[in-house]
C-alpha cells in the first residue's frame, strides 16, 4: 500500500468565528443616526420631498431665531451710532472765549415731513481744524448741505417736492453709514454763516458721548419679558412641527425596516437620523434665508424701522445655541413622537386603529405654568429688579400647554360631527382619521393668538400709566413755533407770514423774557424775578382777560384764584410786579454787571387774570403791548407762535414747516397733542408691531407648508376622487373646511388660554382686566389666515388632482 492509498483523515471544521458584538450606547446611536441620514437622501423622490419640506419649515423658524438673536447687537449698534454723532464739550461762552483750533458752532434744525422725522443740524466751523460729523468728509459751507442717501432720494422725487423747497441748499455730499442710525434715516447737515454764540449757536469741539441709559420701568420690563416669550415660543412650536412632516410615509418605511430584522429602538433611532438630516438642512436653509433677509432689511422699512445689514449679526453665544438646539430638538421630538407608536413588520398601529387621547397629562403643563405665575411676587414702580425666570417659565408652560391641549380638543369635537355637504364630510372624515397632523399644523397660530391676547390685555391696562396729559389745547392750535431769540418785530413777522401760509386759519404770537424788580427785595433777600410778555392786543387777549386794550397799555396778570396785589410783610410778593416800579429788563444781570436796562412799569397798568395759552402755559407777570416798551431792546428773549390749521387743506402742516424754514431754519416746531406717551412704552409697542408682523408671516408660511405637505400625502386619494367623478370645487371646499375647523377650535382655545395668561400677568403688576373683548381682532386675524392659506393652496391642489397622480412606483 502506497502512501497515496492511505485514507486521509477527515478534515475538522474550522472553529466558529465569534460574532461581532452589536454596537451599543453612543456607537449604536451614531450608527443608526447615520443610517437614517443616508435614507433621507437615498430614499427616492418621496424622501427628498419630505426632507425638502422639513428643511424649508425648519429654515423659516431658524431664520426668525437668528433675527431674534441679532436684536441685542442691532440695538447696541444703533445706540452707539447715535451717541457717536452727539457733540461733546458744548458751551455758550462769549465770542473769543473758548475758541480753539477745533471748535465749531451748531444748532438743531430737525423737522418733520408727512409724519417722518427729518433730523439735521446747522454747522459753522470756528477753528481751521474743526472736525466734521461722523460719516461726513468736511463741514459744508454756507448754502451747502450733505444729506443721507434716503433724504437725497426723497428730495429728488415728486413726493419730496415740498421738502425740497424747505431744504433748498445745494447738496455737496452724502452722509456715510457711520453717521446714520439706519439706512432709511432722513438726515442732513447744512452750513450756516449766521450762527453765533450770542444768538443761536452752541460751541463744541468734538463728537461722541457716552450716556447712561434711562432706567427702565419695572412694570414695563414685565411686558418686555412676556413680549419675548410670545414672539419666540410660536417659532419653537413651529420648528417642532416641521420636523414631523411626512410622518405617514416614514412610518411605512420604518415598518419595512422592522420586517428585515431591525428592533424597535433601532427603528426609532433611524427615524431620528432621517429627521436630523432635515433639521441640519433646515439650519443651512435658515442661514441662507437669514443672509438674504439681512441684505433686504437695508431697503425695507417696517413700521418706520430699518437696519444696516452689517448691524444684523446674531450674538455668537445665541447663534451657537440655535445651531446646537435645533438638531437636538429634532431628535428628541422624533423620539417622543414615536415612543407611543408600535412599529411592527406588517404596519404601524397608529394607521390601523384609533386610540382615544388622554386629557390629564395634557393639563399638567398649563397648570404648572399658572402655578408658577401665581407664586411670582408682585411688581410695582418701586421694584428694584425684575426676575425674568418665573415669568418666562410660567408663560412658556401655559403657551406650550395650549399646543398640547389642541389635539385632544380637536379629536373630541370632530369625533362628534356628522352629516353635512359632501365637502364637509370629506374634511371631517379626514380630520377624524388624522386629527394629530391638523392639530400640529395650527398649533403655532394657537400659541401666537393666545400670547397676543395676553399682551394686548397688558397693553390696554398699562397704557394709561404711560400716558401723560400735556395740558395742550388742540382745539385752539395745532402747532407751536419757538425761537430762542427775537423781538416784537420777529413776532410780528412770524404772525404775518404764518397767516399768509396756505392752510393756516389762526396765529398767536408773543415775545417773552425774564425781568427783575428794583424795588424792595423779597423776604428772601433777592429781587423778585417775573416774566414779561410782549404782544399786540389781539395776542394778549388770547392769554388773559383784558377789559380793554390799545397799543401802549400794560397789565399785571395773575393766575385765576390768586391776587396780584397780595402783600408780604416787606410790602411785595415774589411773583407780582408793582405798577410804577422800575424794572430791570436784563433779568437782574444788569445789577451784577453795572449795566441795567431800566424801564418803568406804568402806574396805569391794570390787574388782569391770565388763562392758559394753547400750550398750557399761563403767562402770569407783566403783559405789555409793543408801544409800552418803545424802542427798548429785550435781551435773552423767546419768541413764540401758536398756529391753527384747516384740516381740510392737504399738507397744511408741510406748508407751515416750509414757512418756518423761510423765516429761520432754527425755529422749533412742535405738534400739539393732548396726551404724550412714554418713550420706552412707545419703543416696546414698536417692537411688538415689528416682531408680531414677522411672527404672523412665519405662521402663515408654516400653515401653507403644512397644508402643502398634507395635500402631497393625499395626492393619490385626490386623483382617485376626481377619477370617480368628484367635482374639483367640492375638493377645494373640503380643503377650506379642513383648515378652518382646526383654526376655529385653536382660536377658541387660544382665547381661553390668552385670557387666563393675561389675567395672571396682570396680577403680577397689580392690575385687573379692563376689556374682556380684546380677542376679537385676533379672531379676525385667524379668519384672514384661513382664507390666505386656502387661496394659496389651490394651485397645488389643482395640480395634484390630475390623472397622473394615480401612478405609483
Amino acid at each position: 500500500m502506497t502512501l497515496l492509498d492511505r485514507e486521509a483523515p477527515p478534515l475538522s471544521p474550522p472553529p466558529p468565528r465569534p460574532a461581532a458584538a452589536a454596537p451599543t450606547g453612543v456607537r449604536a446611536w451614531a450608527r443608526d443616526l447615520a443610517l437614517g441620514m443616508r435614507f433621507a437622501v437615498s430614499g427616492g423622490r418621496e424622501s427628498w420631498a419630505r426632507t425638502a419640506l422639513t428643511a424649508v419649515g425648519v429654515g423659516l423658524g431658524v431664520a426668525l431665531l437668528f433675527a431674534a438673536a441679532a436684536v441685542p447687537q442691532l440695538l447696541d449698534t444703533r445706540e452707539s451710532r447715535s451717541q457717536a454723532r452727539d457733540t461733546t464739550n458744548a458751551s455758550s461762552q462769549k465770542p473769543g472765549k473758548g475758541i480753539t483750533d477745533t471748535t465749531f458752532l451748531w444748532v438743531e434744525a430737525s423737522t418733520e415731513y408727512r409724519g417722518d422725522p427729518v433730523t439735521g443740524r446747522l454747522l459753522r466751523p470756528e477753528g481751521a481744524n474743526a472736525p466734521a460729523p461722523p460719516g461726513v468728509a468736511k463741514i459744508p459751507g454756507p448754502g451747502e448741505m450733505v444729506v443721507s442717501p434716503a433724504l437725497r432720494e426723497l428730495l429728488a422725487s415728486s413726493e419730496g417736492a415740498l421738502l425740497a423747497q424747505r431744504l433748498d441748499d445745494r447738496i455737496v455730499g452724502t452722509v456715510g453709514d457711520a453717521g446714520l442710525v439706519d439706512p432709511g434715516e432722513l438726515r442732513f447737515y447744512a452750513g450756516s454763516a449766521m450762527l453765533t454764540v450770542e444768538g443761536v449757536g452752541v460751541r463744541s469741539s468734538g463728537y461722541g458721548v457716552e450716556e447712561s441709559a434711562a432706567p427702565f420701568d419695572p412694570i414695563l420690563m414685565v411686558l418686555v419679558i412676556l413680549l419675548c416669550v410670545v414672539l419666540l415660543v410660536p417659532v419653537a412650536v413651529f420648528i417642532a412641527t416641521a420636523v414631523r412632516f411626512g410622518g405617514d410615509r416614514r412610518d411605512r418605511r420604518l415598518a419595512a425596516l422592522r420586517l428585515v430584522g431591525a428592533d424597535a429602538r433601532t427603528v426609532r433611532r433611524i427615524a431620528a437620523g432621517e429627521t436630523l438630516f432635515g433639521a441640519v438642512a433646515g439650519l443651512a436653509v435658515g442661514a441662507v434665508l437669514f443672509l438674504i433677509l439681512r441684505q433686504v432689511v437695508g431697503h425695507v422699512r417696517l413700521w418706520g424701522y430699518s437696519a444696516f445689514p452689517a448691524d444684523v449679526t446674531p450674538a455668537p453665544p445665541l447663534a451657537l445655541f440655535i445651531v446646537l438646539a435645533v438638531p437636538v430638538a429634532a431628535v428628541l421630538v422624533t423620539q417622543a413622537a414615536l415612543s407611543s407608536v408600535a412599529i411592527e413588520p406588517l404596519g404601524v398601529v397608529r394607521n390601523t386603529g384609533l386610540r382615544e387621547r388622554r386629557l390629564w397629562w395634557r393639563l399638567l403643563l398649563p397648570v404648572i405654568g399658572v402655578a408658577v405665575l401665581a407664586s411670582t411676587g408682585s411688581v410695582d414702580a418701586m421694584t428694584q429688579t425684575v426676575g425674568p425666570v418665573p415669568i418666562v417659565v410660567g408663560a412658556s408652560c401655559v403657551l406650550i400647554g395650549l399646543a398640547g391641549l389642541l389635539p385632544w380638543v380637536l379629536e373630541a369635537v370632530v369625533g362628534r360631527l356628522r352629516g353635512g355637504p359632501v365637502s364637509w364630510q370629506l374634511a371631517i372624515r379626514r380630520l377624524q382619521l388624522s386629527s394629530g397632523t391638523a392639530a400640529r399644523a395650527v398649533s403655532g397660530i394657537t400659541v401666537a393668538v393666545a400670547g397676543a391676547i395676553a399682551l394686548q390685555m397688558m397693553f390696554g391696562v398699562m397704557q394709561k400709566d404711560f400716558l401723560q396729559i400735556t395740558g395742550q389745547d388742540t382745539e385752539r392750535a395745532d402747532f407751536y413755533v419757538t425761537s430762542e431769540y427775537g423781538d416784537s418785530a420777529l413776532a410780528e413777522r412770524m404772525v404775518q407770514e404764518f397767516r399768509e401760509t396756505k392752510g393756516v386759519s389762526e396765529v398767536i404770537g408773543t415775545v417773552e423774557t425774564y425781568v427783575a424788580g428794583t424795588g424792595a427785595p423779597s423776604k428772601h433777600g433777592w429781587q423778585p424775578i417775573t416774566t414779561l410778555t410782549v404782544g399786540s392786543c389781539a395776542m394778549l387777549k388770547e392769554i388773559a382777560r383784558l377789559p380793554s386794550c390799545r397799543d401802549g397799555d400794560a397789565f399785571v396778570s395773575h393766575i385765576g384764584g390768586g391776587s396780584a396785589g397780595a402783600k408780604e410783610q416787606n410790602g411785595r410778593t415774589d411773583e407780582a410786579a408793582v405798577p410804577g416800579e422800575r424794572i430791570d429788563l436784563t433779568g437782574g444781570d444788569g445789577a451784577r454787571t453795572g449795566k441795567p436796562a431800566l424801564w418803568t412799569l406804568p402806574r396805569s397798568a391794570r390787574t388782569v387774570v391770565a388763562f392758559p395759552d394753547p400750550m398750557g402755559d399761563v403767562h402770569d407777570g407783566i403783559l405789555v403791548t409793543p408801544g409800552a416798551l418803545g424802542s427798548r431792546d429785550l435781551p435773552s428773549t423767546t419768541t413764540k407762535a401758536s398756529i391753527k390749521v384747516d384740516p381740510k387743506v392737504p399738507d397744511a402742516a408741510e406748508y407751515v414747516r416750509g414757512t418756518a424754514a423761510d423765516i429761520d431754519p432754527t425755529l422749533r416746531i412742535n405738534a400739539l397733542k393732548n396726551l404724550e406717551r412714554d418713550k420706552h412704552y412707545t419703543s416696546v409697542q414698536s417692537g411688538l408691531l415689528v416682531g408680531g408682523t414677522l411672527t404672523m408671516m412665519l405662521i402663515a408660511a408654516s400653515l401653507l407648508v403644512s397644508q402643502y405637505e398634507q395635500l402631497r400625502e393625499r395626492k393619490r386619494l385626490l386623483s382617485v376622487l376626481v377619477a370617480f367623478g368628484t367635482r374639483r370645487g367640492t375638493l377645494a371646499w373640503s380643503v377650506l373646511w379642513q383648515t378652518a375647523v382646526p383654526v376655529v377650535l385653536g382660536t377658541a382655545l387660544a382665547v381661553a388660554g390668552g385670557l387666563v395668561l393675561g389675567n395672571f400677568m396682570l396680577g403680577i403688576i397689580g392690575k385687573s382686566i379692563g376689556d374682556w373683548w380684546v380677542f376679537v381682532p385676533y379672531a379676525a386675524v385667524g379668519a384672514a389666515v384661513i382664507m390666505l392659506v386656502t387661496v394659496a393652496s389651490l394651485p397645488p391642489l389643482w395640480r395634484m388632482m390630475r390623472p397622473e397622480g394615480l401612478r405609483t412606483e
Side-chain angles (χ1 to χ4, degrees), residues 262-304:
D263 60 16
R265 292 183 179 179
T266 299
V267 167
R268 285 198 292 267
R269 290 195 292 263
I270 292 174
E274 201 171 346
T275 303
L276 177 61
F277 183 85
V280 173
L283 281 175
V285 172
V288 172
L289 288 176
F290 173 74
L291 293 176
I292 294 174
L293 294 175
R294 189 169 177 256
Q295 299 301 319
V296 173
V297 293
H299 305 280
V300 176
R301 290 187 71 81
L302 185 61
W303 300 106

Side-chain angles (χ1 to χ4, degrees), residues 360 362-374 394 397-398 401 405:
W360 67 269
R362 299 176 184 273
L363 292 174
L364 286 180
L365 207 56
V367 170
I368 291 174
V370 168
V372 172
L373 293 177
C397 288
V398 172
L405 277 171

Side-chain angles (χ1 to χ4, degrees), residues 292-366:
I292 294 174
L293 294 175
R294 189 169 177 256
Q295 299 301 319
V296 173
V297 293
H299 305 280
V300 176
R301 290 187 71 81
L302 185 61
W303 300 106
Y305 288 87
S306 64
F308 289 106
D311 296 343
V312 187
T313 303
L318 295 178
L320 179 62
F321 175 78
I322 294 171
V323 171
L324 296 178
V326 170
V328 171
V331 173
L332 294 179
V333 168
T334 304
Q335 289 288 301
L338 295 178
S339 62
S340 59
V341 177
I343 301 175
E344 300 297 340
L346 297 180
V348 180
V349 173
R350 181 170 55 199
N351 289 339
T352 60
L354 294 177
R355 181 173 57 87
E356 185 178 356
R357 301 180 187 273
R358 297 181 179 180
L359 177 62
W360 67 269
W361 68 267
R362 299 176 184 273
L363 292 174
L364 286 180
L365 207 56

Side-chain angles (χ1 to χ4, degrees), residues 64-65 68 224-236 399 447-448 451-452 455 687-696 698:
L64 194 55
L65 288 178
V224 172
I225 296 172
L226 180 62
L227 174 62
C228 296
V229 173
V230 169
L231 293 181
L232 295 181
V233 168
V235 180
L399 294 177
V447 173
L455 275 177
L688 173 61
L689 292 175
V690 176
T693 301
L694 294 177
T695 303
M696 290 307 299
L698 171 68

Side-chain angles (χ1 to χ4, degrees), residues 786-808:
I786 293 173
M787 297 304 299
L788 176 65
V789 171
T790 302
V791 172
S793 62
L794 289 180
L797 175 64
W798 279 182
R799 186 172 63 254
M800 292 177 185
M801 288 188 294
R802 295 173 181 172
E804 290 81 359
L806 294 174
R807 297 177 180 176
T808 185

Side-chain angles (χ1 to χ4, degrees), residues 573-647:
T573 64
D574 283 349
E575 295 81 8
V578 178
E581 181 182 3
R582 298 282 285 175
I583 303 296
D584 183 0
L585 300 180
T586 65
D589 289 340
R592 291 189 294 270
T593 62
K595 297 180 180 179
L598 299 179
W599 168 75
T600 302
L601 176 62
R603 294 185 178 277
S604 60
R606 289 166 288 178
T607 299
V608 296
V609 177
F611 53 83
D613 64 8
M615 280 290 290
D617 298 328
V618 179
H619 299 258
D620 56 329
I622 303 174
L623 309 180
V624 299
T625 55
L629 286 176
S631 59
R632 293 177 176 82
D633 294 329
L634 296 176
S636 303
T637 59
T638 300
T639 307
K640 301 180 180 180
S642 301
I643 303 171
K644 182 69 176 177
V645 299
D646 187 353

